[in-house]
Amino acid sequence: MARASYGFSAPPYSSLRRLSQSPVTLLSSRTTNLRNIRAVSISDSSTNQQPSLEVIGGAVDSFLPAFNTLHLPYVPYPVIGWNRHLETIFAAFYRSLPAVRFRRQCLRTRDDGTVSLDWIAGDDLSLPSDSPVLILLPGLTGGSGDTYVRHMLLRARSKGWRGVVFNSRGCGDSPVTTSQEFHPCPLSGAISLCNPFNLVVADEDFRKGFNIIYDKALANSLCKIFKRHALLFEDMGGAFNIPLAANAKSVREFDEGLTRVSFGFESVDDYYSKSSSSDSIRNVSIPLLCIQAENDPIAPSRGIPREDIEKNPNCMLIVTPKGGHLGWVAGGEAPFGAPWTDPVVMDFLEYLEQSRSSTSAAPSTQLQDSKCLGNAHELHHVEV
């Protein structure tokens, strides 16, 4: 097993270029605690400036030299990239799906639940045993079949990384074996994409305007997973509302009928409030890169915990002016290829691995095989 592991995560609400390159200037304001650091794209004409990237965080000084592509302007693909909903939907339905063969490993959890790890088939023979591991965690109802997941897997593999997709319970055709859905191990670093940090804020926007379409689509996907395993939920007592969950018209209804009860929350609002990752940023103790889109319809920019990211010496945030939700139809492979974020993500991963290789990693950040993949008291796994 590899020496170090890195996490790459899409958010709970998962998805659904080539103009002339302009010079870019990095501006820094030391007197404001890096608050105003921005990658500002300057076009040939002073009256035709491209929107800037917002780059902030307590780790900017440490991480910024790692990136080979942030000096380039963010140029949305014409027409597609001008509307956040069009970009989100286009990426979900028309981005190419790379052909990837997987070897599935099922892990049994302490409550007899099952999660599935999809490893790229053949990597055991073609890659060194000490290759770094990239763990991809797709968003709500997402899995190893998602286009953005496969593009990132292949990019990492081309750089000698061993990739694995963590399919949550019921996702990616992973079986549900208990009446609890959804929830992975010590990591050396992590990347978060399109994270709805504040679930209360995200829920507010999710039920407005065109976002209702996404809400219904995700609720429908959750209901399909639920109904495939309906027998597990028969005769459940307590506060569960099984008919509501089975016929949910919104993610909120599904969470009210099932999810919040499974995890012991008094209400959906209590669940969203106490489960928001924005409250955990201040405690992040490993390198973390967050990439968001300013116009994301599902992960609102106003929910990003900018102040805590700025204060944490382990965190860096990049906010693109466009991108939609997991769209990022920009860069050299637009419109059908990999999203704009892939080279940025790969730069960061290689930086982390080089840093880890040049210095002795602290024990708390090293991958512990026994904790991740088969501790006798925690997880048991079989090949399927």
Side-chain angles (χ1 to χ4, degrees):
M1 186 53 63
R3 300 164 298 174
S5 181
Y6 304 85
F8 172 97
S9 176
Y13 298 143
S14 181
S15 66
L16 287 124
R17 285 181 225 172
R18 218 165 289 139
L19 299 181
S20 60
Q21 297 294 320
S22 306
V24 72
T25 302
L26 294 181
L27 303 180
S28 173
S29 176
R30 300 290 180 185
T31 59
T32 56
N33 190 28
L34 303 179
R35 183 181 300 276
N36 295 321
I37 288 186
R38 287 177 179 268
V40 184
S41 57
I42 309 298
S43 68
D44 293 334
S45 169
S46 60
T47 60
N48 184 31
Q49 293 187 357
Q50 297 292 341
S52 64
L53 297 176
E54 178 185 0
V55 183
I56 64 173
V60 165
D61 283 348
S62 300
F63 296 166
L64 203 55
F67 298 99
N68 298 313
T69 56
L70 288 188
H71 66 286
L72 300 174
Y74 183 89
V75 183
Y77 195 81
V79 181
I80 296 171
W82 296 346
N83 179 277
R84 61 180 184 170
H85 299 300
L86 177 60
E87 186 168 16
T88 299
I89 294 171
F90 180 89
F93 288 98
Y94 297 104
R95 176 167 282 150
S96 61
L97 180 65
V100 181
R101 293 177 58 249
F102 291 106
R103 173 179 62 84
R104 173 156 290 190
Q105 182 180 36
C106 290
L107 305 183
R108 183 60 57 88
T109 64
R110 283 179 292 182
D111 69 339
D112 285 332
T114 304
V115 296
S116 299
L117 302 182
D118 282 343
W119 302 83
I120 298 181
D123 277 1
D124 289 343
L125 299 177
S126 60
L127 294 176
S129 60
D130 61 350
S131 298
V133 174
L134 173 61
I135 306 172
L136 284 85
L137 294 85
L140 185 64
T141 76
S144 53
D146 289 349
T147 59
Y148 69 93
V149 171
R150 293 196 179 189
H151 275 288
M152 191 65 242
L153 278 175
L154 293 187
R155 184 175 296 268
R157 190 177 189 273
S158 70
K159 300 291 186 177
W161 288 62
R162 189 186 305 273
V164 59
V165 184
F166 182 99
N167 297 288
S168 296
R169 307 183 191 204
C171 297
D173 293 322
S174 182
V176 174
T177 53
T178 70
S179 58
Q180 179 166 298
E181 294 197 53
F182 296 96
H183 17 297
C185 61
L187 300 172
S188 300
I191 300 165
S192 171
L193 303 183
C194 288
N195 187 345
F197 288 98
N198 188 317
L199 295 182
V200 175
V201 169
D203 177 58
E204 291 174 357
D205 285 17
F206 208 41
R207 293 179 282 121
K208 296 177 182 177
F210 192 87
N211 281 5
I212 294 175
I213 302 297
Y214 305 133
D215 193 9
K216 290 182 180 295
L218 280 173
N220 184 56
S221 295
L222 287 169
C223 288
K224 285 182 178 178
I225 294 174
F226 179 85
K227 290 175 180 178
R228 285 202 300 266
H229 306 89
L231 291 177
L232 291 171
F233 299 89
E234 284 189 352
D235 302 322
M236 291 183 65
F240 288 98
N241 188 333
I242 300 306
L244 179 63
N247 301 284
K249 303 302 181 185
S250 68
V251 173
R252 186 180 179 88
E253 286 187 357
F254 187 88
D255 289 341
E256 171 61 42
L258 185 69
T259 313
R260 67 95 180 169
V261 184
S262 295
F263 294 101
F265 292 99
E266 295 180 358
S267 66
V268 170
D269 291 325
D270 182 47
Y271 166 45
Y272 291 161
S273 177
K274 294 179 180 177
S275 299
S276 295
S277 60
S278 56
D279 297 331
S280 304
I281 290 295
R282 64 177 65 93
N283 299 319
V284 170
S285 59
I286 61 173
L288 171 65
L289 172 65
C290 302
I291 309 180
Q292 306 286 122
E294 179 67 32
N295 69 342
D296 192 322
I298 296 175
S301 176
R302 63 191 177 94
I304 300 173
R306 287 175 167 85
E307 184 174 344
D308 285 342
I309 290 175
E310 289 181 27
K311 292 179 179 179
N312 191 319
N314 299 300
C315 298
M316 176 172 160
L317 167 70
I318 299 172
V319 183
T320 60
K322 302 288 185 180
H325 186 69
L326 293 174
W328 283 304
V329 184
E333 297 187 36
F336 300 107
W340 173 89
T341 49
D342 276 17
V344 178
V345 167
M346 203 66 239
D347 283 346
F348 186 67
L349 290 172
E350 292 190 303
Y351 165 77
L352 291 180
E353 177 61 8
Q354 290 167 5
S355 299
R356 190 208 60 79
S357 298
S358 61
T359 60
S360 298
S364 60
T365 62
Q366 297 235 10
L367 173 68
Q368 303 294 327
D369 291 353
S370 61
K371 292 182 179 179
C372 266
L373 301 175
N375 186 300
H377 300 291
E378 297 183 7
L379 299 177
H380 310 279
H381 66 276
V382 294
E383 299 287 344
V384 297

